Amino acid sequence: MHSNSNKCYKYNSQNIIPDDSTCFPTYLLAIESEQENDEIRGLTAGKEAWIGLIQDPFTGNISWHNDSPLNYTNLGPNCTLAEGSGSYFYMTSNGTWRNCLGDYNNISGYFCGAKYGGVPTCPKHGCPSSQGLAIDIHGTVNPCLCYYFTSQKIQDFDQNANLKCILDLRIANSTFLSIDSSFANNELTTLSRQIIKGTNCTFYYNGLLIGITDGFKGEWINGDNSTYRNWHPGYPDILGDSGAVFDIFDGTWSNPENPPDSGYCFICQYILQKRIA
């Protein structure tokens, strides 16, 4: 950018309604000064274009798509009740920013942007919503990982269990959980305790399938090759359940020979792709 030599941008003259994947592997453009705003406005030929400002529909808070500090804004008049308010902001012909749903189908382009020399990092937001079908939590040990704690229970655990995540939670490309380290196991144990009132689950299937073919060592049904294990003493049981479960109170794993008739709760995961801010 002429107004900021550390940033580059691209204008796309397409009529779209943005979502979190727009501009991948970069982000919708964050505008950090009046000079940048004037430069961007001069490229739109008097038309409206999407920028990277987003409003949380629940809290009303605004933030940049790439999580840059919100040091500059140029908000226009609030949307009327008839217009309605959306999540994504666009730049108007006079350079102000609005998010009125009534205009969404008329926006003729969008700006993507990134800093020169930027490296791909895990997004700080963007976990697909389960729409209340689970408790959604963005991981911290692996910030590219989204957890979905369900209160549903399943009785039969096998290679097809991944479909529970895709079909029941309606999140494409989600899978059953896999646990790669003691840090991740501790995080899951802590989170499970914190949300027990919301799920009423004390044991979860953790995505490890146990059987004769692998010498009862277990294999992750999502294809993860992690060798981390945290078995409770005496497990795995060669006569036990085919699925490993972890205990939210001590974080150890077991595969009891006689699981409850109602089955166990389960956790799904979704991996965010790294992006350049």
Side-chain angles (χ1 to χ4, degrees):
M1 299 183 72
H2 296 296
S3 54
N4 186 340
S5 59
N6 293 321
K7 285 172 66 174
C8 57
Y9 62 83
K10 179 181 179 181
Y11 175 64
N12 302 271
S13 57
Q14 293 176 287
N15 188 320
I16 67 164
I17 295 178
D19 57 29
D20 192 70
S21 65
T22 302
C23 293
F24 184 85
T26 61
Y27 292 89
L28 285 160
L29 179 66
I31 300 175
E32 300 176 274
S33 69
E34 182 178 357
Q35 292 73 26
E36 289 186 22
N37 200 64
D38 290 343
E39 179 177 347
I40 293 302
R41 180 190 176 195
L43 298 171
T44 61
K47 298 180 180 180
E48 296 170 331
W50 298 107
I51 59 174
L53 194 66
I54 300 174
Q55 184 171 47
D56 187 301
F58 300 104
T59 66
N61 296 332
I62 57 175
S63 61
W64 289 114
H65 190 209
N66 67 358
D67 291 305
S68 291
L70 193 64
N71 295 327
Y72 169 78
T73 60
N74 193 34
L75 300 176
N78 290 333
C79 304
T80 65
L81 288 176
E83 290 173 317
S85 297
S87 296
Y88 289 84
F89 281 78
Y90 52 88
M91 178 182 286
T92 67
S93 58
N94 66 11
T96 57
W97 313 340
R98 303 189 78 200
N99 63 329
C100 304
L101 284 172
D103 293 332
Y104 268 28
N105 290 321
N106 303 318
I107 312 302
S108 57
Y110 60 99
F111 286 95
C112 301
K115 287 184 168 61
Y116 284 111
V119 296
T121 57
C122 295
K124 294 180 181 179
H125 57 80
C127 289
S129 173
S130 68
Q131 304 296 323
L133 297 172
I135 296 177
D136 310 355
I137 299 178
H138 198 146
T140 55
V141 171
N142 177 355
C144 277
L145 200 60
C146 309
Y147 297 125
Y148 300 92
F149 292 81
T150 74
S151 56
Q152 302 176 50
K153 294 184 178 181
I154 58 174
Q155 297 170 305
D156 300 315
F157 183 84
D158 56 25
Q159 287 286 3
N160 295 318
N162 277 328
L163 292 175
K164 295 291 291 182
C165 298
I166 297 172
L167 299 178
D168 289 17
L169 300 186
R170 303 169 195 167
I171 299 175
N173 300 317
S174 60
T175 68
F176 239 82
L177 178 71
S178 56
I179 305 174
D180 291 348
S181 69
S182 59
F183 301 105
N185 198 70
N186 290 340
E187 177 176 57
L188 285 162
T189 304
T190 300
L191 292 174
S192 299
R193 292 175 189 162
Q194 292 173 348
I195 64 173
I196 187 172
K197 290 184 178 179
T199 64
N200 198 31
C201 298
T202 55
F203 288 90
Y204 287 91
Y205 276 121
N206 67 5
L208 192 67
L209 183 67
I210 305 157
I212 296 174
T213 56
D214 65 0
F216 299 99
K217 295 178 181 178
E219 58 181 356
W220 300 106
I221 64 169
N222 64 7
D224 193 335
N225 59 7
S226 168
T227 59
Y228 173 76
R229 303 291 187 267
N230 190 39
W231 292 111
H232 190 81
Y235 290 93
D237 183 347
I238 62 173
L239 299 177
D241 189 14
S242 60
V245 295
F246 80 88
D247 184 333
I248 73 168
F249 296 109
D250 64 9
T252 59
W253 310 353
S254 61
N255 65 322
E257 187 173 343
N258 296 302
D261 291 339
S262 59
Y264 295 111
C265 298
F266 62 97
I267 303 172
C268 298
Q269 67 180 32
Y270 179 91
I271 300 176
L272 297 168
Q273 294 182 292
K274 292 184 178 182
R275 304 174 79 158
I276 303 171

